[in-house]
Amino acid sequence: DAGVIQSPRHEVTEMGQEVTLRCKPISGHDYLFWYRQTMMRGLELLIYFNNNVPIDDSGMPEDRFSAKMPNASFSTLKIQPSEPRDSAVYFCASSLVAGNTIYFGEGSWLTVV
Amino acid sequence: GEDVEQSLFLSVREGDSSVINCTYTDSSSTYLYWYKQEPGAGLQLLTYIFSNMDMKQDQRLTVLLNKKDKHLSLRIADTQTGDSAIYFCAESISGPPSSGSARQLTFGSGTQLTVLP
């Protein structure tokens, strides 16, 4: 299996622009997670899905952030409008069932200038 | 609540053993994990231990779990320069079955291991 695939790997955008990050989980995994990693706050869980349904979005920082999972093989995390403080590495991860190991993608490195 | 704590930095000499420590607070944890993050990469599962075990060994890696003290450690024998990375401890907490919610992994802040030649 190819593992969790994220795109883009790197993005530099101007403040106010819309950013869309994409994720393809491991085939057959029922759970998909979006994490954000910064030096100041470490690794934060933003939202996770079970069978394409958002279960817990309490980690989403504010209304500028939204996530969707239209099908079992694709999810997006959108930031609109983006701000410099959104600069971080955004990881997508998936797991087979509850309690199993979470597998991470390589991350999307976002810089907002 | 869940809170996983790790020291931020550890430096060792090449060839020595490294011991990375972690404490957690939730006694209902079922699995405890160690992930490794190399520069510019995602988190990679290194090893894990089930909560009814107190030790697990895998080649150069030894995981020790002290449930009474809620303490987890990762020992890397014969540490190499390629072991330089950030190591994250994480605990898996069981969610209520009725909710259908996944166990969430709660991560520590990570320990930056630097291996000196």
Side-chain angles (χ1 to χ4, degrees):
Chain A
D1 200 317
V4 176
I5 299 172
Q6 292 187 244
S7 65
R9 282 282 280 134
H10 299 273
E11 177 147 349
V12 180
T13 191
E14 289 186 345
M15 184 173 66
Q17 296 297 305
E18 179 180 287
V19 173
T20 300
L21 308 178
R22 298 173 178 81
C23 176
K24 181 179 187 308
I26 293 173
S27 177
H29 281 194
D30 289 335
Y31 292 88
L32 183 140
F33 306 83
W34 283 101
Y35 287 86
R36 178 173 68 175
Q37 185 179 35
T38 61
M39 289 290 290
M40 293 298 295
R41 302 169 79 98
L43 199 62
E44 303 172 277
L45 176 64
L46 300 178
I47 185 172
Y48 76 91
F49 296 82
N50 177 18
N51 291 324
N52 314 337
V53 176
I55 301 300
D56 183 357
D57 65 354
S58 59
M60 295 286 262
E62 48 197 273
D63 292 345
R64 296 184 297 107
F65 286 69
S66 62
K68 293 182 180 178
M69 192 165 185
N71 58 62
S73 59
F74 184 65
S75 176
T76 59
L77 178 68
K78 193 168 288 189
I79 309 172
Q80 167 62 22
S82 58
E83 296 182 4
R85 61 192 168 122
D86 301 330
S87 298
V89 185
Y90 291 83
F91 288 105
C92 179
S94 69
S95 70
L96 183 59
V97 294
N100 273 23
T101 304
I102 288 180
Y103 295 91
F104 284 81
E106 290 292 292
S108 291
W109 300 69
L110 174 65
T111 303
V112 183
V113 297
Chain B
E2 315 98 27
D3 194 11
V4 179
E5 294 191 354
Q6 304 176 237
S7 54
L8 292 179
F9 302 99
L10 176 66
S11 292
V12 298
R13 292 254 176 231
E14 191 173 13
D16 289 348
S17 292
S18 310
V19 179
I20 304 171
N21 294 302
C22 170
T23 58
Y24 59 98
T25 56
D26 196 316
S27 57
S28 68
S29 294
T30 52
Y31 290 94
L32 294 121
Y33 296 84
W34 285 104
Y35 281 81
K36 176 184 180 182
Q37 184 181 29
E38 295 181 348
L43 279 71
Q44 177 188 8
L45 176 69
L46 205 54
T47 187
Y48 66 92
I49 188 167
F50 190 50
S51 59
N52 69 354
M53 299 168 64
D54 51 23
M55 186 181 91
K56 180 179 180 181
Q57 188 150 4
D58 183 4
Q59 299 182 333
R60 292 191 298 121
L61 305 179
T62 303
V63 178
L64 295 178
L65 175 61
N66 182 329
K67 284 197 73 174
K68 175 175 167 290
D69 294 338
K70 298 191 183 73
H71 182 266
L72 182 74
S73 67
L74 174 69
R75 178 177 181 270
I76 306 173
D78 187 24
T79 313
Q80 303 297 307
T81 54
D83 295 323
S84 292
I86 302 175
Y87 290 81
F88 290 90
C89 168
E91 59 173 341
S92 169
I93 298 157
S94 179
S98 59
S99 72
S101 59
R103 288 177 179 145
Q104 291 192 29
L105 291 199
T106 301
F107 286 86
S109 55
T111 299
Q112 171 73 61
L113 174 65
T114 302
V115 182
L116 306 170

